[in-house]
Amino acid sequence: MRQTESRTLGVHRDVKQRLSGIPVKRDQTEDTSLSTEDTARHSFGSEWEEDARETLSEVEFDTELGVELARDAQRLSQGKISEEEFYSRHNDKVGEEFGIDARPTDPTSAEPLDEETVSTALDDEVVAEPVPKPYDNGGAIGGGDGGEGGDGDGFDGGDDDDGFSRRSVLKSVGVAAAGIAAGTWSNRNPSGIWDDDQEEQVAPAGPGTKNDRVQMGFVIDVDACIGGAHCAQACDYENQTANGQLWQFVFQYQEKDRDEAEFLIRPCQHCSNPPCVSVCPVRARHKREDDGIVLTDYDICIGCRYCQVACPYGVNYFQWGEPDDEKIASFRERNSNMPALDNEGRPDDPKYDKNGNHTAGPQHEKGIMGKCVFCVHRQDSGNPELEGTTACYEACPTDAIHVGDLNDPESKPRKYLEEVQTRHSEDGSEKGQPEAGYDTTSEDAEWNEQRHVPRWRFQEEYGTRPNVIYVGHQPSADANDQWVDKPGDYESYGLHKKRDGFDLDYGHGGDDGNESGGDH
Amino acid sequence: MSLDAEPEDLVRPMRKPGKKYMIVGALATVGFLIFAVAYGFQLENGLAVTNLSDWGSGGGVTWGLYIGSFVWWVGIAHGGILVSAAARLFELEKYEPVARIAELLTIGALSMAGLMIVVHLGRPDRMVWSTVQSYPTTVHTSPLAWDLTVITLYFVMTGTYLSLTLRSDVYQLRDKLPNILSPVYSAVLFRYDPDEDPVAERMAWWLSLGIIVLAPLLLHGGVIPWLFQLTPSMPNWYGGLTAPQFLSAALTSAMGGVMFVAYIFRRVYDWEDVLPDEIFHGLGWWMGLFGLLWLWFQLQKLITGAYAPTRDVEPVVNTMLHSNVYWLAVGLVAVPLAYVAFQHFGILDFSVRGTVIAGVGVILGVLIDKTLFVVEGLIYASTRLYENVPGAYVPTPIEMASLLGTVSMIVLFFLGISKLVPIVELKAVKEHETETETGGD
Ligand code: SF4
Ligand code: SF4
């Protein structure tokens, strides 16, 4: 049993200040002004309506309702009708026609929601117009931008109160309507936006329209990492996970031709094409529409562990035995006064996210799966100081971790990328050359040479479209976890690499340190 | 060779249980109880009582013996029904006497496969509700949902198939069957009319056709291996060779399974005339053939992984090449193969008992191979950064107990069902009464 007392966030902040002399960062209150930009690209002429009817008659939903909704949504986004008016016109009918559920429904149809996520964000050098902030619960974002072929979480109803159910319902409709408006029904495409052809199919997006969807993610500068595992420690404390559940993890490895230790910080990548979501037989694992965070509904998961098997990153951790009640209570207590819990219609318990799904905090009972939740309780806290932050980000003494909406050029991670780029192209520093062992044939390598900063994503060859962008040394194919020196030793930080065993010790499963084993 | 069996012989197992019956029954009951206690213990304390662990930084494997035995049971199951369907479809009369045993084995083994999944789950209590309510969505994407679909489909097909042939048998043997079970037989014969026989016969034929066509496509030729082979980050699993490998393993072990059950009945009830040598000879031959295919696929995998492997494949194949457990599995298939081949070519004398023992070897070999396949897939995941994380997997006694439990349950199932219905089709004996078998392959 570890001593939680000594490892409060306060301690982290102290450590951090000591180590770096930087004051602990706290987010500025984000500008929450509404973005009501009219992004409509299609007029609703009779030709459109005919097309729409034809398409709608092929799907299982009510044709009239779909057409009407789409038309009114367009009016709404053009400011011709008010939100209230829109909702009052359609709420009941929609309720009848669609179930209420915020998780992705049929992945073959709802997938468009993450079709246009972050991943290309960085390739848009200039995105002139402001895009909505991750925590912008405010206004209706311009109605289902047609050009995006199904990029339709358009009618993002504002208020949080009874908003979430309505919002999710409307999203389903938004997807349908926007897909039709664009005349393309974006299908699940594993290669997605990494695929050039696919890019071309998408109608050229004007400024501010392309990345309207929020995709939370990380930019992690691995060269800045000193391997102190403060992030892992902070995560462990923040989420009160069981022993062995290292939702945040730091690899320490050594390259053959380099002396110093290298580090790789490994959270869940909150993929845009997450295999863990596809394989889940019960839809417990889902990608949240609101901000692209990948979550597990603890109340639905049956513990088949298929998500764990399918994820190439090894970020999933099962609750093997009974969880520690104290830890669960501690998580609940520390988060019990988030402002958003007072919102009407939201369960009064921080273990629920704003959609009412039980996804936050540690697994509350044995037999279910967990992993990094992007500190979803912070994102949904209603506290501007916490929204848009994670525990690991806050704890890192060297500012290696940057979190935010990767689709937003003004977000911290995007700004950081810009900053390193400028820094390095100015001084032509050590990052100017491709690193040893670096795959110089990859697209990223070209990008590096042009821009003088190694930037890569982890194992993107599996088509997962990960939403962690790494800056700095990329591990070569020879790299493996070496544990070359003590700072990276988890035990010394009170962290455990092994899950807790059971009293009836079979000589395994216990906390047996770092000796190497396996039937190699 | 003509058979001397009488319809009378077929109901012999349904008489008062003998001593051997009671002993086997007692042993199987003990096996089942051990499982029940072990599983209760697991429910109480969670999967922490297994040696499964998180792959990745936890250095363990998250799927192990439970999934290995799931695959193994499905393999046995789907081969069983193939024997029966092939006997009907291709009029392989020689195998008719084992057709029902094979069908029953399919039903039993499929149930055990399902049970292994339940045992494997962290939250079995939620299984039905969680799965059903999301099924319309997950069936598009989740191989586990496909598995569920296909196994249910097979269960229904086999059940229907079995009941079609059973009704007429029960009707004809009605006066010879134990009175005490009358209500059961009345239920089986609900609205039975002897005129329905030709229709039932035709339906059974079509079902056989469906089974023959679907089995290789859906079960071990498809859906079950897809559970693994569609995972690009697990080099031991990924790739098109997985499915043929699974199918050949399934078929060879299924032949072994059918032989084993048939042999037990033959021994206990002196059924040398009902289940003659030539059945075992034939099944042994098929077992060898499928075993040969399996070995050939293994060879392909080893050669590909040893000659110029990619970085992620190399450690797996390297381990396989140096693993005694792997070679044990290969040996357990290869030696029986050589044995039946020698018999076939007359180098060794044919022995029913020897062939059955060879079959048991194959069954064990496939079980070991399947478990190893699952475990090595997870130990040698592509993310080599995890390579130095400590970890190994040896199933705990709790996990072993579930395997013992499923085997015991199959035994109990056969003990029970053999008291209830004739486990050899009446038709098989009747035909043998009048016809002369040409025999041989
Ligand atoms: S990193 Fe793994 S668990 Fe996280 S979203 Fe991607 S596939 Fe799922
Ligand atoms: S362990 Fe839970 S979340 Fe993961 S695939 Fe199975 S049911 Fe889904």
Side-chain angles (χ1 to χ4, degrees):
Chain A
M1 189 84 359
R2 64 199 177 73
Q3 305 108 14
T4 42
E5 309 84 349
S6 68
R7 303 193 5 260
T8 62
L9 272 184
V11 170
H12 284 300
R13 293 206 182 99
D14 289 350
V15 167
K16 184 168 146 164
Q17 272 161 342
R18 259 206 322 278
L19 278 171
S20 59
I22 333 164
V24 175
K25 54 189 172 257
R26 272 292 182 193
D27 275 9
Q28 313 301 319
T29 307
E30 300 288 338
D31 174 8
T32 50
S33 62
L34 309 187
S35 162
T36 48
E37 221 37 67
D38 178 4
T39 53
R41 317 191 69 75
H42 290 254
S43 63
F44 280 60
S46 60
E47 211 182 306
W48 170 86
E49 193 162 316
E50 230 171 270
D51 276 355
R53 274 177 202 284
E54 207 176 307
T55 320
L56 275 168
S57 65
E58 284 159 21
V59 300
E60 55 181 308
F61 300 124
D62 183 335
T63 307
E64 285 310 319
L65 179 59
V67 174
E68 232 178 87
L69 264 168
R71 193 189 288 126
D72 278 352
Q74 206 73 2
R75 289 192 193 124
L76 169 70
S77 68
Q78 290 162 354
K80 289 182 187 153
I81 58 170
S82 72
E83 251 185 284
E84 282 76 9
E85 220 174 321
F86 178 81
Y87 291 133
S88 66
R89 274 189 208 180
H90 299 294
N91 228 4
D92 292 348
K93 280 194 219 158
V94 169
E96 277 164 36
E97 191 68 19
F98 301 88
I100 294 175
D101 192 350
R103 84 197 59 233
T105 47
D106 183 342
T108 56
S109 62
E111 194 61 24
L113 285 177
D114 42 294
E115 201 63 53
E116 289 302 320
T117 41
V118 49
S119 315
T120 46
L122 299 174
D123 303 328
D124 302 313
E125 283 304 308
V126 190
V127 183
E129 303 209 14
V131 297
K133 302 291 180 297
Y135 6 88
D136 182 353
N137 291 331
I141 298 160
D145 163 33
E148 289 303 305
D151 179 10
D153 48 348
F155 320 117
D156 203 356
D159 49 343
D160 233 352
D161 317 345
D162 52 348
F164 83 80
S165 55
R166 191 166 63 204
R167 181 165 51 232
S168 39
V169 169
L170 289 169
K171 271 178 182 167
S172 312
V173 183
V175 173
I180 290 155
T184 55
W185 188 272
S186 186
N187 286 320
R188 179 182 177 77
N189 175 3
S191 56
I193 45 184
W194 298 98
D195 178 341
D196 291 336
D197 292 339
Q198 158 99 9
E199 280 265 27
E200 277 161 26
Q201 286 162 17
V202 176
T209 61
K210 189 174 168 71
N211 297 307
D212 273 359
R213 187 176 300 124
V214 174
Q215 174 61 58
M216 297 304 271
F218 300 87
V219 165
I220 297 179
D221 188 337
V222 288
D223 285 353
C225 178
I226 53 168
H230 296 82
C231 51
Q233 214 177 343
C235 172
D236 183 81
Y237 177 72
E238 175 87 11
N239 291 293
Q240 293 290 311
T241 51
N243 287 345
Q245 299 188 348
L246 299 167
W247 288 3
Q248 178 64 298
F249 184 75
V250 185
F251 288 109
Q252 179 170 297
Y253 62 96
Q254 193 166 16
E255 296 287 9
K256 279 198 180 108
D257 50 358
R258 290 161 70 99
D259 288 336
E260 72 274 38
E262 307 285 346
F263 302 102
L264 174 64
I265 303 166
R266 183 239 64 192
C268 164
Q269 314 279 310
H270 296 278
C271 307
S272 283
N273 185 29
C276 61
V277 171
S278 315
V279 300
C280 178
V282 297
R283 285 196 298 158
R285 181 56 60 82
H286 61 284
K287 188 170 175 71
R288 206 159 78 143
E289 293 168 12
D290 317 62
D291 47 15
I293 301 177
V294 175
L295 295 167
T296 316
D297 191 325
Y298 295 148
D299 288 343
I300 295 179
C301 172
I302 56 172
C304 69
R305 311 196 281 293
Y306 202 1
C307 50
Q308 188 174 29
V309 162
C311 166
Y313 303 96
V315 306
N316 289 274
Y317 296 91
F318 191 64
Q319 187 64 43
W320 297 97
E322 275 310 339
D324 185 339
D325 289 341
E326 274 175 35
K327 288 187 178 179
I328 292 166
S330 153
F331 172 81
R332 183 173 289 147
E333 203 187 303
R334 278 185 301 115
N335 294 293
S336 59
N337 45 18
M338 1 162 125
L341 286 183
D342 301 334
N343 287 349
E344 209 185 309
R346 178 170 170 171
D348 185 20
D349 190 325
K351 71 182 186 179
Y352 294 104
D353 67 9
K354 64 180 171 195
N355 296 330
N357 295 325
H358 184 179
T359 56
Q363 291 108 300
H364 66 300
E365 53 192 7
K366 62 179 187 283
I368 51 181
M369 193 57 77
K371 64 158 191 69
C372 158
V373 294
F374 209 89
C375 288
V376 64
H377 55 283
R378 288 183 178 228
Q379 315 314 325
D380 293 359
S381 65
N383 177 352
E385 288 202 355
L386 292 175
E387 288 176 340
T389 71
T390 60
C392 53
Y393 150 81
E394 218 170 53
C396 179
T398 60
D399 282 344
I401 301 175
H402 305 262
V403 299
D405 176 10
L406 296 185
N407 282 350
D408 177 2
E410 300 304 316
S411 69
K412 291 179 304 261
R414 292 282 295 270
K415 281 284 171 214
Y416 181 75
L417 278 178
E418 228 171 74
E419 182 196 317
V420 268
Q421 193 178 304
T422 329
R423 200 184 328 143
H424 292 292
S425 44
E426 271 166 11
D427 66 16
S429 72
E430 81 275 12
K431 284 182 186 172
Q433 296 305 313
E435 300 279 347
Y438 192 78
D439 176 7
T440 45
T441 57
S442 81
E443 250 179 65
D444 261 2
E446 271 174 43
W447 193 94
N448 292 333
E449 280 181 68
Q450 287 161 20
R451 292 176 170 84
H452 304 284
V453 56
R455 194 196 65 184
W456 47 278
R457 302 187 202 222
F458 192 26
Q459 301 193 138
E460 65 186 78
E461 64 271 26
Y462 295 118
T464 51
R465 290 156 58 198
N467 286 309
V468 179
I469 296 154
Y470 290 97
V471 175
H473 180 76
Q474 182 174 25
S476 74
D478 287 323
N480 63 32
D481 213 7
Q482 293 275 342
W483 301 98
V484 280
D485 61 344
K486 275 297 165 191
D489 187 328
Y490 280 77
E491 305 302 314
S492 66
Y493 284 98
L495 295 171
H496 303 254
K497 285 186 95 180
K498 287 302 216 179
R499 71 169 171 90
D500 280 342
F502 184 72
D503 287 349
L504 255 185
D505 201 339
Y506 298 111
H508 199 267
D511 185 23
D512 51 8
N514 289 327
E515 76 270 18
S516 77
D519 51 350
H520 291 227
Chain B
M1 184 179 71
S2 71
L3 291 178
D4 307 323
E6 301 282 331
E8 192 70 29
D9 291 334
L10 300 189
V11 291
R12 207 185 305 145
M14 304 169 71
R15 305 250 166 76
K16 206 167 170 299
K19 197 168 147 206
K20 284 182 202 161
Y21 182 95
M22 298 308 268
I23 293 174
V24 175
L27 285 176
T29 309
V30 171
F32 172 73
L33 288 177
I34 292 176
F35 159 71
V37 172
Y39 186 49
F41 190 63
Q42 178 181 308
L43 282 179
E44 184 67 29
N45 298 290
L47 284 153
V49 302
T50 66
N51 263 345
L52 298 168
S53 183
D54 300 304
W55 86 263
S57 67
V61 296
T62 193
W63 287 1
L65 183 65
Y66 291 155
I67 292 292
S69 5
F70 157 75
V71 172
W72 180 66
W73 278 122
V74 181
I76 292 181
H78 106 317
I81 191 67
L82 275 184
V83 172
S84 152
R88 183 172 304 271
L89 211 58
F90 306 124
E91 294 177 354
L92 302 170
E93 272 149 25
K94 183 167 87 177
Y95 297 112
E96 272 176 3
V98 284
R100 186 165 292 155
I101 291 180
E103 288 154 25
L104 290 170
L105 184 62
T106 297
I107 297 263
L110 275 183
S111 312
M112 291 309 112
L115 185 67
M116 287 315 304
I117 289 289
V118 175
V119 172
H120 163 87
L121 291 182
R123 290 301 306 267
D125 53 318
R126 289 175 182 172
M127 181 179 70
V128 175
W129 172 237
S130 281
T131 312
V132 167
Q133 53 130 6
S134 54
Y135 183 78
T137 305
T138 53
V139 75
H140 294 285
T141 53
S142 173
L144 215 50
W146 305 342
D147 272 21
L148 195 91
T149 315
V150 167
I151 289 178
T152 311
L153 178 72
Y154 255 74
F155 202 86
V156 171
M157 279 173 96
T158 314
T160 314
Y161 186 76
L162 186 66
S163 60
L164 284 175
T165 58
L166 205 57
R167 277 158 72 89
S168 123
D169 279 17
V170 170
Y171 179 76
Q172 292 180 51
L173 292 169
R174 188 75 167 85
D175 49 339
K176 298 195 178 78
L177 299 174
N179 278 332
I180 189 166
L181 293 170
S182 293
V184 177
Y185 300 125
S186 307
V188 172
L189 290 177
F190 179 68
R191 303 195 68 173
Y192 177 78
D193 173 355
D195 289 345
E196 79 180 35
D197 281 1
V199 181
E201 188 69 14
R202 266 228 304 288
M203 277 173 72
W205 189 88
W206 281 106
L207 268 174
S208 320
L209 184 66
I211 286 164
I212 293 272
V213 173
L214 289 183
L217 280 178
L218 290 187
L219 283 180
H220 267 66
V223 176
I224 306 289
W226 290 343
L227 201 55
F228 306 94
Q229 78 176 46
L230 306 182
T231 310
S233 50
M234 301 289 163
N236 195 35
W237 298 354
Y238 189 58
L241 191 57
T242 306
Q245 222 171 29
F246 267 49
L247 187 62
S248 56
L251 293 174
T252 191
S253 63
M255 298 301 146
V258 175
M259 278 200 298
F260 181 71
V261 180
Y263 180 71
I264 300 291
F265 277 101
R266 175 171 138 138
R267 273 298 295 272
V268 174
Y269 298 111
D270 300 322
W271 266 359
E272 278 80 9
D273 43 359
V274 178
L275 301 167
D277 286 8
E278 57 180 8
I279 291 184
F280 295 89
H281 193 269
L283 288 175
W285 190 83
W286 284 107
M287 180 180 82
L289 185 74
F290 295 130
L292 184 66
L293 282 174
W294 183 82
L295 286 174
W296 181 57
F297 293 134
Q298 293 292 326
L299 180 72
Q300 301 310 323
K301 182 166 182 168
L302 293 183
I303 300 253
T304 313
Y307 182 75
T310 50
R311 278 174 193 277
D312 53 346
V313 169
E314 193 257 327
V316 195
V317 171
N318 202 20
T319 309
M320 283 164 82
L321 284 170
H322 295 100
S323 153
N324 294 334
V325 186
Y326 173 71
W327 289 111
L328 174 69
V330 170
L332 283 170
V333 177
V335 173
L337 164 65
Y339 177 72
V340 294
F342 283 156
Q343 282 184 353
H344 196 77
F345 299 121
I347 299 166
L348 288 173
D349 286 341
F350 176 72
S351 144
V352 172
R353 182 203 285 229
T355 312
V356 171
I357 293 175
V360 173
V362 167
I363 296 175
L364 289 177
V366 170
L367 174 65
I368 295 172
D369 171 64
K370 284 300 155 241
T371 308
L372 210 59
F373 170 84
V374 172
V375 169
E376 285 187 338
L378 289 162
I379 287 187
Y380 299 101
S382 293
T383 311
R384 293 189 70 192
L385 275 170
Y386 287 119
E387 218 166 68
N388 282 357
V389 177
Y393 170 73
V394 180
T396 62
I398 302 276
E399 293 171 81
M400 304 271 201
S402 65
L403 187 60
L404 174 72
T406 47
V407 173
S408 305
M409 274 185 256
I410 286 276
V411 175
L412 288 172
F413 169 72
F414 271 103
L415 290 177
I417 202 89
S418 67
K419 289 284 167 232
L420 212 59
V421 295
I423 62 150
V424 172
E425 276 184 64
L426 188 60
K427 176 169 149 252
V429 178
K430 277 189 167 170
E431 274 167 16
H432 284 298
E433 275 180 329
T434 49
E435 288 167 23
T436 303
E437 259 274 346
T438 43
D441 293 82

